C-alpha cells in the first residue's frame, strides 16, 4: 500500500519548509500553512516526501501507510 502525507495542524507553525521541498504535493494557503494533497504518493516522490517529513521543524508532517 502506498503512503500518504498528513500534516497535524495543531503542531504546524507555518514554516513552509515542506512546501519548498515538495511543491508537487504541498502548497501554502493564504495564512501561510501547508495544504497537503490527500492522494497516495506518486511512485517517484517517496524520497522527496521523506526529506520533507525529516525537515519539518515541528514534526507536524508525517507519512502514513494507506
Amino acid at each position: 500500500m502506498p503512503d500518504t502525507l498528513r500534516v497535524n495542524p495543531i503542531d504546524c507553525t507555518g514554516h513552509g519548509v515542506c512546501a519548498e521541498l515538495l511543491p508537487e504535493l504541498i502548497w501554502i494557503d493564504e495564512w501561510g500553512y501547508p495544504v497537503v494533497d490527500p492522494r497516495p504518493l506518486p511512485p517517484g516522490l517517496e524520497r522527496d516526501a521523506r526529506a520533507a517529513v525529516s525537515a519539518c521543524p515541528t514534526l507536524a508532517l508525517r507519512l502514513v501507510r494507506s
Side-chain angles (χ1 to χ4, degrees):
M1 294 230 147
D3 292 334
T4 57
L5 280 170
R6 297 285 182 255
V7 66
N8 181 332
I10 303 299
D11 291 338
C12 181
T13 57
H15 286 92
V17 174
C18 57
E20 289 179 24
L21 293 173
L22 195 59
E24 301 89 346
L25 299 176
I26 304 170
W27 56 95
I28 301 298
D29 69 11
E30 61 269 20
W31 298 285
Y33 289 92
V35 177
V36 177
D37 189 329
R39 296 176 292 183
L41 287 176
L45 293 177
E46 292 95 352
R47 177 177 282 166
D48 293 338
R50 292 186 196 294
V53 168
S54 294
C56 180
T58 62
L59 306 176
L61 188 66
R62 61 190 173 100
L63 283 171
V64 176
R65 183 71 55 181
S66 300

